[in-house]
Amino acid sequence: MANKPTVTVVGAGLAGSEATWQLIRRGFPVRLIEMKPVKFSPAHKSAGFAELVCSNSLKAEQMSNASGVLKAEMRALDSLILRCALESRVPAGGALAVDRDRFSDLITEAIKSSPLVTFETGVVDAIPDAPCIIATGPLTDPALVNAIESLPGAKSLHFFDAAAPIVTAESLNMDKVFRASRYDRGSDYLNCPMTEDEYNAFYDALVGAELAELHDFEKKLVFEGCLAVEILASRGRQTLAFGPLKPVGLIDPRTGKEPYAVVQLRQENEAGTMYNLVGFQTRLKWSEQKRVFRMIPGLENAEFARYGVMHRNTYLNGPDMLGANYALKGNPLIRFAGQLSGVEGYMESTASGLVAAVGLACALDGKPEPDFTQKTIHGALARHVSTPNANFQPMNANFGILEPLEARVRGKRNRYEKLGERAENVLSEVITNYEL
C-alpha cells in the first residue's frame, strides 16, 4: 500500500466522491481538491460533498427500469454514493429519494475520515499531474475550462446543453411513420407526417405547455443559435411548418402526397435503437414533453430515452477526447468523470466516477483494465461518451444504449427485465474475471 502513487481527484461532487471511494478501497492515497467553500458555482450553496443541486430523487429502483438496473450494478460494485443514498432515503414510491443534507453528510464523513485521503480546498486552474481524475461538473470553473481546452484533441467545450428528445425505435408506430430523405436522396430519416388538423392541435398544445425553470444565472444566456422549438412556435402558427417541420421533398407513401407538416427523426446510435427529434430542442417540463410530443403521429406510445434539455452545462466532446473507461486519449493516467465527461444524471455521474477510478486503479497496478461491455449500464455509458458521433450529446441511463438481446423477447417489460438480468450476470463475470 505504501508504494502506491497518490491520485489527485478534482471535485467532490457525486463523481469525484465515488472515484475517491473506489481508489481508497484499492489502497490508493487520494489528494481530493474541492473549490467549495472558497468558491461556489452559481448553482451550489452547501460546503458538503456530493451536493444535490436540483431534485432529491435518484430515480427508479425497479429492474424493469434502466435506473434500477444501474443501481443494482452499483450495489455489486460497492458504490459509496448508493450506500449513503439507501441510508438517507425518504419515502418516494418506487423511486429512491434522499434527505439531501444527511446524504451529503454521510458521504463527506466517509471520505474525510479515511487516512488515505488528503483534502484540500481551492480553485484548480490547470490540469494536475497524472495520475488524476477531473470531476468538476457541468459548471466547471472557467480557468480550468481553458486548461482542458488546451489538451490534445480538445475542441471548445459546450457551454450549454441544447438537445432534442431521444425516443426508442421499438416504441414507434411504424404504421404511421415512413422512412425517406427529401427528394428521394436515400432513406436516412424516419418521418412522422401530419395533417393540417393534427398540426394545429399539436401547435396549440406546444405553445400552451409549461416550461421548466431556469437557474438565475441561466436566464442571461441567449440560445438564438439553437432556439427551443416552443420559442420558434411562438413566432407564429406557420413558423414550424415552414421551418423544422417543412414537408418539402417528402412524399407519404400512404397518400402519394406531401403531408401538411413532417417531424423528422434521425438515427442516434449505430445499432439504430434510438432516434432524436430533429429541431426539437426544448425547455418544456419533462411531463409536458411526454404529453405534447406524443401527439405527433407515430409517437403515441413513444418511450423517451432522453428528454430534451436546454440549460447551462459544460461538457467534453467525449468521442474526440476520451477512450475506454473515461481515459484521456494520449494519456490514460488522466481521466474525466461526471457530467463534464458527457453523462447526464446523478447516478450516471456517480457511475462514471466509479468506472474511471476502477480503470485507473487497474492501470496503475499494472493489471488489465476491466471491459464492462455494452451489456451493462456502466459499460454502455462509457461507450457512449467515447464512440464517434457527429451529433454527440450527454446521455443518461436507458435501455436503448445497451447491446440488444441475442434472442427476441416478447413484451416490453419482459424484455427490459431480461436486459437487466443479463447486465447483472455480465457484471458478475467482470467482477470475478478482473478481481474487482
Side-chain angles (χ1 to χ4, degrees):
M1 184 178 300
N3 58 2
K4 286 182 182 282
T6 297
V7 179
T8 299
V9 175
V10 185
L14 292 164
S17 295
E18 184 66 42
T20 298
W21 174 255
Q22 294 296 332
L23 288 165
I24 62 178
R25 274 191 67 224
R26 291 162 174 80
F28 285 90
V30 173
R31 177 190 177 215
L32 177 60
I33 309 174
E34 166 59 49
M35 71 178 187
K36 299 188 303 181
V38 172
K39 183 177 181 179
F40 287 87
S41 81
H44 290 84
K45 297 178 175 62
S46 165
F49 297 174
E51 179 184 358
L52 303 182
V53 298
C54 296
S55 169
N56 70 327
S57 173
L58 307 182
K59 299 184 182 177
E61 291 186 281
Q62 301 89 345
M63 289 297 289
S64 56
N65 186 293
S67 294
V69 176
L70 178 58
K71 292 179 181 64
E73 293 178 12
M74 294 171 73
R75 184 179 293 108
L77 291 162
D78 189 25
S79 164
L80 174 68
I81 301 303
L82 179 62
R83 186 200 309 168
C84 292
L86 294 172
E87 288 185 36
S88 59
R89 72 183 304 158
V90 296
L96 173 59
V98 302
D99 176 321
R100 67 181 76 217
D101 291 333
R102 176 163 165 71
F103 173 71
S104 176
D105 289 345
L106 288 169
I107 294 166
T108 305
E109 173 60 24
I111 291 174
K112 282 190 172 182
S113 64
S114 171
L116 287 173
V117 176
T118 301
F119 178 64
E120 300 177 18
T121 58
V123 179
V124 174
D125 60 7
I127 306 297
D129 292 337
C132 71
I133 295 175
I134 300 172
T136 45
L139 298 174
T140 294
D141 189 77
L144 183 55
V145 168
N146 290 336
I148 293 170
E149 288 181 333
S150 70
L151 291 170
K155 297 179 180 178
S156 293
L157 275 65
H158 301 263
F159 291 101
F160 62 90
D161 193 357
I166 296 171
V167 295
T168 62
E170 67 178 3
S171 68
L172 303 176
N173 182 354
M174 297 306 294
D175 290 334
K176 297 183 178 180
V177 176
F178 66 94
R179 183 179 289 277
S181 294
R182 299 185 192 279
Y183 306 108
D184 291 325
R185 296 172 182 167
S187 56
D188 292 339
Y189 290 86
L190 296 181
N191 300 275
C192 304
M194 286 181 165
T195 65
E196 184 174 3
D197 288 344
E198 288 169 335
Y199 174 83
N200 284 326
F202 169 75
Y203 174 86
D204 291 335
L206 178 63
V207 296
E210 191 174 358
L211 298 178
E213 288 292 325
L214 287 176
H215 292 289
D216 288 340
F217 66 91
E218 291 176 311
K219 294 176 182 177
K220 300 176 184 177
L221 298 176
V222 178
F223 299 111
E224 185 67 34
C226 199
L227 281 179
V229 66
E230 63 272 7
I231 299 300
L232 278 175
S234 71
R235 296 179 173 180
R237 182 171 290 273
Q238 297 304 312
T239 304
L240 296 181
F242 285 90
L245 273 66
K246 63 182 178 184
V248 177
L250 291 167
I251 303 298
D252 185 345
R254 295 178 304 168
T255 65
K257 301 177 181 178
E258 283 185 359
Y260 185 82
V262 169
V263 175
Q264 289 199 301
L265 309 180
R266 181 171 51 228
Q267 187 170 323
E268 179 65 25
N269 61 343
E270 186 177 1
T273 58
M274 298 185 291
Y275 283 79
N276 71 65
L277 280 64
V278 177
F280 271 66
Q281 297 84 3
T282 180
R283 268 189 55 212
L284 296 188
K285 286 188 172 181
W286 288 3
S287 58
E288 290 286 76
Q289 291 185 44
K290 186 174 183 179
R291 177 181 69 85
V292 175
F293 297 155
R294 279 184 169 180
M295 295 177 67
I296 297 169
L299 304 188
E300 300 88 352
N301 299 305
E303 294 177 4
F304 291 83
R306 173 196 165 116
Y307 288 100
V309 292
M310 185 167 280
H311 57 74
R312 178 71 162 81
N313 184 10
T314 302
Y315 62 95
L316 306 179
N317 187 3
D320 285 342
M321 294 185 67
L322 302 180
N325 296 335
Y326 304 93
L328 180 68
K329 289 180 179 178
N331 190 346
L333 298 186
I334 297 176
R335 312 227 168 184
F336 289 87
Q339 286 188 251
L340 181 62
S341 73
V343 298
E344 179 85 17
Y346 287 153
M347 301 310 269
E348 292 86 345
S349 294
T350 303
S352 69
L354 190 157
V355 171
V358 170
L360 180 57
C362 289
L364 292 171
D365 278 335
K367 299 177 181 178
E369 290 195 37
D371 178 4
F372 289 93
T373 86
Q374 205 167 342
K375 296 178 181 180
T376 71
I377 300 290
H378 279 79
L381 287 169
R383 293 282 180 89
H384 173 77
V385 304
S386 61
T387 299
N389 185 338
N391 301 295
F392 178 74
Q393 292 286 351
M395 183 63 69
N396 53 18
N398 66 84
F399 287 117
I401 63 175
L402 291 178
E403 185 178 311
L405 292 167
E406 291 77 6
R408 178 179 174 82
V409 175
R410 292 187 178 277
K412 180 178 68 176
R413 186 180 182 86
N414 290 337
R415 184 162 57 256
Y416 288 172
E417 289 177 347
K418 286 291 185 184
L419 285 166
E421 180 182 326
R422 184 187 67 178
E424 284 194 295
N425 292 337
V426 169
L427 183 60
S428 179
E429 293 176 3
V430 172
I431 290 171
T432 298
N433 293 340
Y434 292 92
E435 299 180 344
L436 302 182

